[in-house]
């Protein structure tokens, strides 16, 4: 597209084009932009009566352009865009109005080049084909003539005494004549440099023949060690062994890789055979002993817990050096329950030889010790699991601006999450992560040198030789992904890409690199970016983010309408984002004082990234763990005690106030498991003016699914989506339809056109009335509940997206569920979509997940004593699974804003739902609300007594017959508060949806994480049917049925009255392990040995 034309706007977004036309505010205003749906096509945008009309300009086979205008108007073809625009200034050309006023292109403020005291760094010489610029023929011809003179002159000034005469003559001949012919070949589009190739082949004739001679022997040697080869196949292509005319450099590189591979595999085999500690295939975690306290009859007793991960045993010892005769094997350790009231307290549920379940409570030295113990136990369960594939992995994410300085000798603390902030305990030092993702900026090292450095550090820490999944470099911005060797066959669809955002978006000194891959059935994306520097260039940084979002090409190419924020189950964004603390330079010393006092809250309130994120301008719906560490920029090098916040320049003193430039953020699909275990920075790596930042995450993954059901006898399942209404923030005059994408569907499904209703404030409400039936490829619940449906609202005229979102099938696990999702496009909010979803699956059970092994309880337990009143026997607890907000739909609340981009309504557990019958709900680790009937409860004491009710949790009430309400419970309800649900209870929302069809089932419960301010809480009741005025039930009473009032405390002798305590916010303590995850639902009774897993738990807690 000609850039000099005033109406040419290039690749601006659709929403930006609408804004420019709205500002013009004259009928007939127009501009042309690149099409977002078809490469090489354009979009003509015309303003008429305050609405924007979009017409596609498509090229044909002869590169002629035509406008898709109204039917009945003859199609005209044009060679150039200016001709087309000139023609459409005329009337009656099929447009809503003729073109009159071109909208000028906004001038971008160019980024100034940065000045540094260090010499400029040359970018790596790995130019892509599309980076080669076109040359002027005359200037290139002159350059060709000057090449021989230049190089021959350089050759004369070198010492040539050691060069063989035949080689010297060949080099001189190349510079005299052949180099010009090579240059001409490049000009003609053939960049193979045949002359250079001929020269190197002649010089390396003996070396080339030697490579040809030794490669077959090395390949045979390699095949002996390679365990994954089938008989008769070679690891490397056959043509490597033959003299196929390849560059010698290429063959040397292949030879080098082959030698490295042989070395690694030989070491692995030899070390494994002798059980050497440096074995590269096994991580040997040494036994760890924890000193704890156990209370019995009010007396605190010192005890020792020894965790032996390798043998799979947990020892209970009365003294550190005492006998190890009392232990529990990994499969007898049923669950860990963390106390939220006492942050160092942990309950362990174990199964005895008599198949009785005991609950043992211990208090650790501090919260970090408790977290280290839990991580070791989880590692033990995972190591000795009978599952063929993992359902949970851990991911380390690190970012470091190296400041163009070399790497220090010891960087172990970075990979062990040691330093400031939320850090790991020493006991977890040798627990390896499954993936290590490291992003660097201003990295002066070569790819091979940096890769070997990182692998060496990890080998020293974990005794594992990690496999390189991918590495990608853009100038000095680099990302590398390493994985455990056992995951090698689980990784597929690896892609990498980069985007330049430097001066004029053509230089790679700023920009991003990214890597994506599939781990079994879970998609991962990682982006490492270095954004524009300077405190005053916040808007430019925002634009950098949008450009990276739009043009970074990662993930499934079939998901073309979706940007990278919707293409992955888990997306991690790391790097030197360069957002600053927005305070005047005169406050520099005040900032330093606050940092020394570790008072970060006031400074974080001025953090540009947090402000822009809360305003929805960047990183919409991304999460970041709470920052509890000092700013990571700008330090004096070789010390971490002093910030160098001033820099002398020719134009005066420049201030770089201490700021959190280096960050790690993430965005995951709804209702998936992800928990941040660490987030902080190191103290002891000081070669750069930035400190390295680390983060680690516990992530749920889906394994490759093989159905155990007979495909012929399996019940046909389906996904129904209905009652969809979209509110789009656009002035476009067009019709819309919805596209549904998912890997679980046989094909992409499109709806018919929706019915538009315009609103005066510049939005359009579209009702898609028809019910859509989606057919999954597999109907087994084990498979379907891990799937997501990607939704895209498109226009019929240009086939461009006006908003994308995602719905989790797990939300409709038990019954019809209503949803609301925020629609986004290119990182901006473009509207909302509401609707309902119903899931029909075949019969089947879902398995327990490893991440359900650890729970968090809100308050202390209330013991239900059996015979003899043994307090160690397992009893029902007020167990809240609240350690993961994303997994359950309860978002992390910060600055009184809740914005996850989605919300779901779910009915109470005990309500039968139309269409489901009395079908027994399936047991799963996820708490999504059951709609079936409740069976008889399990006897938790294991003493053979028939108890008619489980009343230890006061918010559950009776599980048996109904009882009258006690005054103490009435008072308890008044103390239990919940913020109103803005989507499902707002009167304004209801008024706007008068034309919406009735839903199949009543909405009894809502989980909302959409964008809203914190409202004053309203008191709620446990049984709304007892009062005339209906009140929305709280999330924490999910286990209550409408017809099951709680048991009065008077009828519960021997049980102390529970204390209603306010749940402590994680942010009150920098040592608490993670964000809180909401609870799991009660499942149906099972045999006695599974009693612990079947205990009902409370519903979600609400701050």
């Amino acid at each position: 597209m000609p850039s000099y034309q005033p109406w040419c706007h290039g690749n601006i977004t659709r929403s930006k084009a609408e804004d420019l036309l709205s500002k013009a505010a004259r009928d007939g205003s127009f501009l042309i932009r690149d099409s977002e749906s078809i490469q090489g096509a354009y979009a003509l945008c015309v303003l008429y009566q305050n609405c924007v009309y979009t017409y596609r300009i498509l090229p044909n086979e002869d590169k002629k352009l035509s406008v898709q205008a109204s039917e009945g108007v003859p199609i005209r073809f044009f060679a150039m865009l200016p001709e087309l625009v000139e023609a459409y200034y005329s009337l009656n050309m099929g447009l809503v109005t003729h073109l009159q006023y071109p909208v000028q292109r906004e001038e971008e403020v160019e980024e100034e080049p940065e000045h540094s005291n260090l010499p400029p760094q040359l970018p790596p010489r790995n130019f892509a084909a599309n980076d080669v610029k076109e040359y002027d023929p005359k200037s290139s011809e002159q350059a060709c003539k000057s090449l021989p003179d230049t190089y021959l002159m350089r050759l004369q000034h070198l010492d040539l005494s050691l060069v063989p005469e035949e080689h010297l003559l060949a080099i001189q001949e190349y510079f005299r004549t052949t180099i010009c012919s090579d240059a001409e070949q490049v000009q003609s589009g053939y960049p193979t440099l045949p002359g250079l190739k001929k020269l190197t082949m002649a010089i390396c004739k003996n070396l080339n023949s030697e490579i040809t001679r030794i490669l077959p022997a090395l390949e045979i040697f390699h095949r002996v060690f390679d365990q994954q080869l089938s008989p008769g196949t070679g690891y490397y292509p056959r043509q490597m062994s033959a003299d196929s005319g390849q560059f010698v450099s290429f063959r040397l590189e292949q030879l080098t890789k082959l030698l490295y591979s042989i070395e690694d595999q030989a070491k692995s085999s030899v070390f494994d055979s002798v059980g050497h500690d440096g074995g590269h295939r096994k991580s040997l975690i040494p036994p760890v002993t924890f000193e704890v306290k156990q209370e019995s009859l009010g007396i605190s007793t010192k005890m020792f817990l020894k965790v032996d991960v390798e043998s799979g045993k947990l020892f209970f010892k009365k003294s550190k050096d005492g006998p190890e005769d009392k232990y529990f094997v990994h499969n007898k350790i049923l669950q860990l329950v963390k106390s939220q009231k006492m942050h160092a307290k942990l309950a362990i549920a174990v199964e005895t030889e008599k198949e009785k379940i005991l609950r043992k409570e211990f208090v650790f030295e501090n919260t970090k010790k408790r977290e280290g113990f839990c991580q070791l136990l989880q590692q033990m369960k995972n190591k000795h699991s009978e599952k063929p594939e993992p359902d949970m992995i851990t991911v380390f994410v690190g970012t470091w601006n190296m400041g163009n300085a070399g790497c220090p000798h010891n960087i172990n603390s970075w990979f062990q999450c040691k330093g400031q902030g939320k850090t790991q305990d020493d006991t977890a030092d040798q627990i390896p992560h499954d993936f290590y993702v490291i992003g660097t900026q201003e990295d002066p090292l070569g790819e091979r040198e940096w890769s070997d450095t990182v692998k060496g550090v990890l080998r020293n820490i974990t005794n594992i030789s990690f496999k390189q999944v991918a590495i990608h470099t853009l100038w000095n911005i680099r990302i590398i992904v390493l994985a455990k060797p056992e995951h090698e066959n689980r990784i597929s669809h690896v892609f990498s890409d980069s985007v330049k955002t430097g001066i004029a978006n053509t230089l790679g000194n700023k920009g991003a690199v990214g890597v994506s891959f599939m781990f079994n059935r879970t998609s991962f994306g990682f982006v490492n970016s270095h954004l524009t520097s300077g405190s005053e260039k916040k808007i430019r940084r925002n634009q950098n983010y949008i450009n990276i979002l739009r043009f970074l090409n990662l993930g499934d190419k079939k998901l073309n309408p979706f940007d990278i924020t919707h293409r992955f189950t888990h997306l991690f964004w790391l790097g030197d984002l360069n957002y600053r603390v927005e305070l005047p330079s005169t406050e520099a010393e005040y900032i330093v004082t606050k940092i020394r006092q570790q008072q970060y809250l006031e400074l974080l309130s001025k953090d540009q990234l947090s402000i822009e994120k809360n305003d929805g301008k960047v990183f919409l719906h991304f999460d970041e763990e709470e920052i509890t560490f000092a700013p990571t920029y700008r330090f004096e090098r070789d010390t971490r005690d002093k910030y160098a916040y001033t820099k002398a320049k020719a134009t005066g003193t420049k201030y770089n106030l201490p700021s959190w430039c280096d960050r790690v953020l993430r965005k995951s699909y709804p209702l998936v498991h992800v928990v941040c275990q660490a987030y902080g920075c190191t103290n002891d790596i000081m070669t750069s003016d930035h400190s390295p930042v680390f983060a680690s995450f516990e992530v749920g993954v889906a394994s490759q699914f093989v159905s155990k059901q007979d495909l012929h006898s399996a019940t046909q399942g389906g996904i129904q989506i209905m009652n969809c209404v979209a509110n789009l923030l656009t002035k476009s005059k067009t019709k819309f339809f919805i596209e549904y994408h998912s890997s679980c569907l046989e094909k992409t499904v499109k709806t018919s056109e929706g019915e538009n209703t315009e609103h005066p404030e510049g939005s359009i409400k579209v009702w898609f009335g028809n019910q859509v039936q989606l057919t999954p490829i597999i109907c087994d619940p084990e498979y379907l509940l891990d799937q997501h449906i990607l939704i895209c609202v498109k226009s019929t005229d240009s086939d461009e997206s006006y908003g994308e979102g995602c719905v989790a099938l797990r939300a409709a696990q038990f019954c019809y569920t209503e949803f609301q999702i925020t629609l986004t496009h290119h990182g901006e909010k473009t509207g909302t979509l509401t609707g309902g979803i119903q899931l029909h699956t075949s019969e089947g059970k879902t398995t327990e997940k490893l991440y359900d092994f650890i729970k968090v309880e809100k308050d202390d337990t209330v013991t239900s004593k059996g015979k003899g009143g043994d307090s160690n026997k397992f009893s029902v607890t007020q167990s809240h699974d609240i350690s993961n907000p994303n997994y359950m739909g309860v978002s992390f609340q910060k600055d009184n804003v809740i914005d996850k981009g989605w919300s779901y309504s779910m009915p109470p557990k005990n309500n039968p739902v139309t269409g489901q019958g009395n079908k027994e709900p399936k047991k799963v680790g996820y708490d999504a609300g059951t709609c079936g009937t409740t069976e008889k409860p399990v006897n938790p004491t294991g003493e053979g007594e028939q108890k008619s009710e489980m009343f230890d949790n006061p918010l559950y009430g009776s599980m048996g017959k109904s009882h009258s309400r006690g005054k103490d419970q009435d008072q308890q309800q008044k103390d239990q508060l919940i913020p109103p649900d803005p989507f499902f209870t707002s009167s304004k929302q209801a008024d706007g949806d008068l034309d919406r069809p009735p839903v199949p089932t009543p909405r009894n419960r809502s989980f909302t994480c959409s964008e809203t301010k914190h409202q004053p809480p309203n008191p709620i009741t446990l049984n709304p049917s007892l009062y005339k005025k209906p009140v929305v039930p709280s999330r924490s009473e999910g286990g209550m049925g409408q017809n099951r009032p709680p048991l009065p405390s008077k009828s519960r002798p021997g049980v102390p009255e529970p204390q209603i305590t306010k749940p402590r916010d994680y942010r009150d303590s920098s040592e608490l392990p993670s964000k809180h995850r909401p609870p799991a639902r009660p499942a149906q009774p099972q045999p006695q040995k599974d009693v612990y897993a079947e205990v009902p738990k409370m519903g979600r807690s609400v701050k």
Side-chain angles (χ1 to χ4, degrees):
M1 182 185 294
S3 58
Y4 57 86
Q5 296 292 346
W7 34 260
C8 290
H9 288 253
N11 55 18
I12 65 169
T13 63
R14 176 189 50 77
S15 59
K16 181 66 176 177
E18 289 187 13
D19 290 341
L20 292 175
L21 289 169
S22 297
K23 290 177 183 176
R26 290 196 293 181
D27 288 354
S29 298
F30 72 96
L31 60 83
I32 292 180
R33 59 175 174 83
D34 292 350
S35 170
E36 294 182 355
S37 57
I38 301 177
Q39 191 172 3
Y42 306 109
L44 172 61
C45 305
V46 185
L47 184 70
Y48 182 68
Q49 294 183 356
N50 204 31
C51 290
V52 177
Y53 293 78
T54 303
Y55 303 92
R56 281 199 290 190
I57 302 176
L58 302 176
N60 63 5
E61 296 177 356
D62 300 326
K63 306 296 182 182
K64 295 292 183 68
L65 303 173
S66 63
V67 177
Q68 283 189 329
S70 302
E71 295 182 4
V73 179
I75 297 177
R76 296 183 58 184
F77 294 92
F78 304 90
M80 301 290 290
L81 274 175
E83 297 177 20
L84 183 148
V85 171
E86 189 66 30
Y88 280 85
Y89 270 101
S90 305
L91 297 171
N92 303 322
M93 293 292 291
L95 305 183
V96 65
T97 183
H98 63 289
L99 306 184
Q100 299 179 63
Y101 312 107
V103 176
Q104 300 287 335
R105 186 172 187 170
E106 287 186 339
E107 293 296 329
E108 290 188 7
V109 180
E110 293 295 343
E111 181 183 355
E112 297 177 2
E114 295 181 34
H115 300 282
S116 174
N117 297 329
L118 297 171
Q121 300 290 318
L122 292 177
R125 300 184 61 184
N126 52 352
F127 299 109
N130 56 3
D131 289 339
V132 181
K133 296 182 179 179
E134 296 181 3
Y135 292 94
D136 180 50
K138 293 183 179 179
S139 62
S140 61
E141 186 178 345
Q142 294 172 356
C144 285
K145 291 180 179 179
S146 65
L147 281 176
D149 297 337
T150 302
Y151 289 114
L152 286 172
M153 186 179 298
R154 290 182 185 178
L155 191 63
Q156 290 175 2
H157 290 85
L158 298 177
D159 181 10
L160 307 175
S161 59
L162 299 178
V163 181
E165 184 178 357
E166 58 177 329
H167 292 173
L168 181 58
L169 291 174
I171 293 173
Q172 290 173 340
E173 180 63 24
Y174 177 76
F175 286 139
R176 283 195 191 98
T177 59
T178 317
I179 192 171
C180 288
S181 63
D182 274 356
E184 292 172 0
Q185 290 277 339
V186 173
Q187 262 187 285
S188 304
Y190 301 99
T192 56
L193 303 181
L196 177 63
K197 190 173 181 180
K198 183 178 179 181
L199 173 67
T200 54
M201 291 289 287
I203 294 176
C204 303
K205 181 171 61 175
N206 295 335
L207 175 62
N208 203 35
S209 61
E210 187 67 15
I211 292 175
T212 302
R213 190 177 70 84
I214 66 174
L215 264 179
L218 288 176
E219 287 178 351
I220 292 296
F221 189 47
H222 181 270
R223 287 171 57 187
V224 174
F225 287 110
D226 193 355
Q227 301 174 357
Q228 300 180 18
L229 282 179
S230 57
T233 60
Y235 188 83
Y236 285 91
R238 175 71 62 181
Q239 64 264 27
M240 265 194 60
S241 299
D243 187 0
S244 56
Q246 295 167 319
F247 268 120
V248 176
S249 58
F250 172 78
R251 305 189 73 203
L252 281 172
E253 182 184 1
Q254 299 302 313
L255 177 63
T256 305
K257 288 182 178 178
L258 183 58
L259 288 171
Y260 272 117
S261 179
I262 290 173
E263 181 184 351
D264 285 346
Q265 293 189 352
K267 285 182 178 178
S268 173
S269 300
V270 174
F271 287 175
D272 282 352
S273 65
V274 299
H276 188 260
D277 285 346
H280 294 175
R281 291 289 177 180
K282 293 182 180 178
S283 170
L284 301 179
I285 302 175
V288 181
T289 302
F290 295 83
E291 182 179 326
V292 296
K293 291 182 180 179
Q294 182 181 28
E295 289 193 3
S296 178
L297 301 176
I299 301 175
S300 181
T301 308
K302 184 188 293 186
M303 284 194 66
F304 295 88
L305 302 179
K306 180 181 177 182
V307 183
D308 191 338
V309 174
E310 302 302 324
S311 67
K313 294 177 181 179
L314 173 62
F315 298 89
F316 292 78
K317 303 165 61 175
K318 293 185 178 180
S319 62
K320 193 170 185 178
D321 301 322
E324 298 182 351
D325 51 350
K326 187 175 182 181
Y327 64 87
F328 288 91
V329 187
H330 60 90
N331 57 354
K332 299 297 182 181
I333 306 170
L334 303 182
Q335 199 164 57
L336 306 181
V337 183
K338 299 176 183 177
S339 170
Q340 188 183 4
K341 184 177 180 181
M342 294 180 61
H343 297 153
K345 186 177 179 181
L346 181 72
I348 307 176
V350 295
E351 182 182 340
T352 65
E353 295 177 357
K354 299 179 180 179
E355 295 191 348
K356 293 181 180 179
I357 297 176
L358 301 181
R359 175 187 172 102
K360 296 179 177 290
E361 295 184 353
F362 303 97
V363 178
F364 287 75
E365 181 181 341
N366 53 47
T367 308
K368 274 192 178 182
K369 294 293 182 188
R370 185 186 75 172
E371 291 309 303
F373 177 84
C374 290
Q375 289 182 37
L376 286 169
L377 261 291
Q378 208 160 31
Q379 185 76 7
M380 178 198 294
K381 296 285 284 187
N382 194 27
K383 188 179 186 70
H384 298 279
S385 172
E386 296 178 357
K387 296 180 181 179
E389 296 293 328
D391 54 33
M392 189 195 77
I393 61 174
T394 60
V395 179
F396 172 91
V397 179
T399 176
W400 183 24
N401 185 318
M402 299 176 69
N404 289 313
C407 182
H409 177 68
N410 188 349
I411 55 174
N412 290 4
S413 60
W414 188 20
F415 298 95
Q416 292 177 321
C417 299
K418 295 293 186 62
Q420 299 182 38
K422 185 178 181 180
T423 58
Q424 289 186 169
D425 186 60
D426 294 344
T427 54
D429 279 355
Q430 291 180 293
I431 300 179
H433 295 286
D434 295 274
F435 285 92
Y436 286 85
V437 182
I438 299 99
T440 51
Q441 310 83 38
E442 299 183 20
D443 184 346
L445 306 182
E447 282 189 353
R448 182 77 201 189
E449 183 181 1
W450 179 240
S451 174
D452 289 344
T453 299
V454 175
K455 287 180 181 178
V457 173
L458 294 179
R459 186 182 296 117
N460 291 336
I461 295 173
T462 66
N463 293 325
I464 297 176
S465 278
F466 277 80
K467 294 291 184 180
Q468 182 175 299
V469 176
I471 187 168
H472 197 87
T473 305
L474 171 67
W475 287 32
N476 299 111
I477 308 170
R478 177 174 297 139
I479 187 169
I480 181 172
V481 181
L482 303 173
K484 281 183 178 178
E486 60 259 35
H487 295 323
E488 196 169 4
N489 292 331
R490 299 178 175 124
I491 300 169
S492 62
H493 300 81
V494 180
F495 296 102
S496 63
D497 194 26
S498 61
V499 172
K500 299 173 183 175
T501 63
I503 298 173
N505 288 333
T506 57
L507 295 186
N509 62 320
K510 295 294 188 292
V513 290
V515 169
S516 66
F517 57 86
M518 293 288 296
F519 181 84
N520 284 339
R521 287 192 297 113
T522 302
S523 55
F524 284 89
F526 299 92
V527 179
N528 170 33
S529 63
H530 191 188
L531 306 186
T532 298
S533 61
S535 179
E536 71 284 358
K537 295 179 181 175
K538 173 177 61 179
I539 297 176
R540 176 74 179 177
R541 281 188 283 275
N542 294 354
Q543 188 59 48
N544 289 167
Y545 165 77
I546 296 297
N547 288 342
I548 294 168
L549 204 66
R550 293 181 62 192
F551 303 121
L552 197 63
N553 191 12
L554 297 174
D556 188 353
K557 303 302 183 285
K558 295 178 183 177
L559 300 176
N560 186 45
F562 303 90
D563 59 41
I564 58 174
T565 62
H566 286 103
R567 289 191 180 188
F568 306 107
T569 314
H570 304 284
L571 173 65
F572 296 87
W573 196 303
L574 54 140
D576 179 3
L577 306 186
N578 255 323
Y579 286 94
R580 309 301 175 90
V581 172
E582 202 164 88
L583 284 173
S585 57
T586 54
E587 299 290 328
E589 279 302 321
Y590 174 77
I591 293 173
V592 173
T593 302
K594 286 290 184 183
I595 294 170
R596 286 173 181 162
Q597 297 171 350
Q598 297 185 13
Q599 297 179 6
Y600 305 136
L601 288 180
E602 182 181 345
L603 303 182
L604 285 168
S605 68
K606 299 295 183 180
D607 172 57
Q608 289 178 341
L609 178 56
S610 300
I611 295 170
E612 297 298 287
K613 183 174 175 295
N614 290 338
D615 291 342
K617 296 179 181 177
V618 291
F619 293 102
L620 188 64
H621 304 146
F622 275 77
D623 288 320
E624 182 182 19
E625 184 70 7
E626 183 185 10
I627 293 177
T628 56
F629 52 92
T632 56
Y633 176 80
R634 179 179 183 253
F635 288 101
E636 277 195 7
R637 295 179 190 245
D638 301 322
T639 179
R640 296 295 93 157
D641 297 329
K642 186 176 180 181
Y643 285 94
Y645 54 80
T646 60
K647 181 191 289 187
K649 300 184 69 175
T651 55
T653 302
K654 180 180 179 181
Y655 282 82
N656 287 303
L657 298 180
S659 299
W660 288 275
C661 291
D662 311 281
R663 311 286 272 268
V664 176
L665 300 98
R666 64 169 178 82
K667 184 177 185 291
S668 299
Y669 281 169
L671 304 186
V672 295
H673 177 85
V674 55
V675 176
C676 181
Q677 295 178 323
Y679 189 38
C681 68
T682 63
N683 287 327
D684 57 349
I685 302 175
M686 300 177 286
T687 51
S688 170
D689 49 4
H690 292 252
S691 286
V693 168
F694 53 77
S696 67
F697 300 90
E698 179 185 291
V699 180
V701 292
S703 60
Q704 296 290 357
F705 184 79
V706 178
S707 179
K708 299 178 182 178
Q709 301 177 1
D710 184 357
L711 295 178
H712 300 286
S713 61
T715 308
Q716 182 66 28
I719 305 163
Q720 291 179 326
I721 300 180
M722 59 200 83
N723 305 324
C724 287
V725 177
N727 285 283
L728 303 176
L729 305 175
T730 181
K731 292 186 177 181
S732 292
K733 192 76 172 180
T734 181
K735 292 287 188 180
F736 300 93
F737 65 95
I738 295 178
E739 271 187 0
Y740 298 100
H741 298 250
S742 179
S743 59
C744 73
L745 300 180
E746 295 176 345
K747 59 182 179 180
T748 300
V749 178
K750 298 181 180 180
T751 67
S752 56
E753 287 185 4
E755 298 179 10
N756 293 8
T757 304
E758 294 184 12
H759 284 243
E761 59 270 17
S763 63
I764 298 176
K765 186 171 185 178
V766 189
W767 180 58
F768 302 93
N770 295 336
Q771 175 177 301
V772 178
Q773 182 75 27
L774 308 178
T775 304
I777 55 178
I778 300 174
C779 300
D780 194 298
E782 180 82 10
Y783 169 81
L784 273 185
L785 293 179
D786 285 330
Q787 302 302 312
H788 295 78
I789 303 294
L790 293 176
I791 297 177
C792 179
V793 179
K794 283 187 167 184
S795 64
T796 55
D797 56 8
S798 62
D799 199 45
E800 292 181 333
S801 172
Y802 278 66
E804 305 101 49
C806 178
V807 173
L809 294 186
R810 192 176 289 278
Q813 178 176 359
F814 299 106
C815 57
Y816 171 88
T817 300
E818 291 200 327
F819 62 83
Q820 176 182 8
I821 57 176
T822 300
L823 297 175
T824 64
H825 185 60
H826 295 327
E828 300 175 325
K829 179 178 178 180
T830 57
T832 58
L833 179 73
T834 60
I837 183 169
Q838 190 156 14
L839 185 63
H840 299 282
T841 66
S842 58
E843 296 292 335
K845 290 185 178 181
T846 56
T847 58
E848 192 80 10
K849 305 291 187 182
L850 177 62
Y851 42 78
D852 292 320
F853 173 60
I854 300 177
K855 303 291 182 183
V856 179
E857 67 179 358
K858 183 176 179 181
D859 299 317
D860 287 343
T861 61
V862 183
T863 306
S864 174
K865 294 185 179 180
K867 291 182 179 180
D870 187 354
S871 62
N872 269 340
K873 289 187 178 168
F874 172 70
S875 62
V876 184
T877 69
Q878 298 182 24
S879 179
H880 286 241
D881 181 8
I882 57 175
S883 58
N884 179 12
N886 260 2
Y887 184 46
M888 294 305 306
V890 178
S891 66
F892 176 69
Q893 186 172 343
K894 188 174 182 179
D895 299 329
N896 293 329
V897 175
I898 301 178
D899 185 9
K900 297 299 297 182
W902 47 266
S903 60
Y904 299 103
S905 70
M906 300 177 188
K909 298 180 181 181
N910 298 332
N911 272 9
V913 175
T914 306
Q916 297 289 327
N918 292 325
K919 182 178 176 179
E920 181 178 320
K922 297 171 275 294
K923 172 183 175 293
V924 288
Y926 165 70
D927 172 15
T930 56
C931 302
T933 57
T934 303
E935 303 291 339
K936 293 181 181 180
V938 182
N939 178 9
T941 62
E943 297 294 330
E945 298 176 1
Q946 295 295 325
K947 289 183 181 261
S948 61
E949 53 207 37
M950 295 176 67
F951 49 74
D952 299 275
N953 186 336
L955 291 183
Y956 266 99
S958 169
M959 299 292 289
K961 298 180 180 179
S962 301
H963 294 268
S964 60
R965 179 184 300 273
K967 292 182 180 179
D968 56 339
Q969 290 181 326
D970 284 335
Q971 182 62 36
Q972 174 184 323
Q973 295 168 41
K974 295 178 182 178
D975 296 335
Q976 187 72 21
L977 303 177
I978 180 173
D981 188 324
F983 168 51
F984 291 110
T985 63
S986 169
S987 60
K988 183 177 179 181
Q989 178 78 19
D991 293 340
D993 286 340
L994 295 176
D995 56 343
R996 182 170 174 169
V999 298
T1001 55
R1003 295 172 296 177
N1004 299 304
R1005 180 179 179 192
S1006 297
F1007 300 98
T1008 301
C1009 302
S1010 55
E1011 188 175 32
T1012 177
K1013 297 291 182 182
H1014 186 69
Q1015 301 291 336
N1018 296 331
I1020 59 111
T1021 66
L1022 288 178
N1023 193 344
S1025 62
L1026 297 182
Y1027 297 88
K1028 293 182 179 179
K1029 184 178 180 181
V1031 184
V1032 178
S1034 82
R1035 294 188 178 102
S1036 58
E1037 49 187 288
M1040 276 290 297
Q1042 297 283 349
N1043 57 350
R1044 295 183 184 277
L1047 184 69
S1049 59
K1050 293 181 180 179
S1051 62
R1052 301 194 291 174
V1055 180
E1057 183 175 349
Q1059 298 293 322
I1060 305 301
T1061 58
K1062 181 181 179 181
R1064 179 173 178 178
D1065 192 332
Y1066 158 65
R1067 291 167 288 174
D1068 294 340
S1069 169
S1070 62
E1071 290 189 343
L1072 269 183
S1074 59
K1075 296 179 185 177
H1076 303 274
R1077 178 175 54 192
R1081 302 275 181 193
Q1084 298 302 315
Q1086 297 290 333
Q1088 179 63 31
K1089 72 174 186 176
D1090 291 328
V1091 61
Y1092 187 82
E1094 300 297 329
V1095 172
K1097 306 165 189 74
M1098 287 182 61
R1100 296 170 176 77
S1101 66
V1102 178
K1103 294 181 184 179

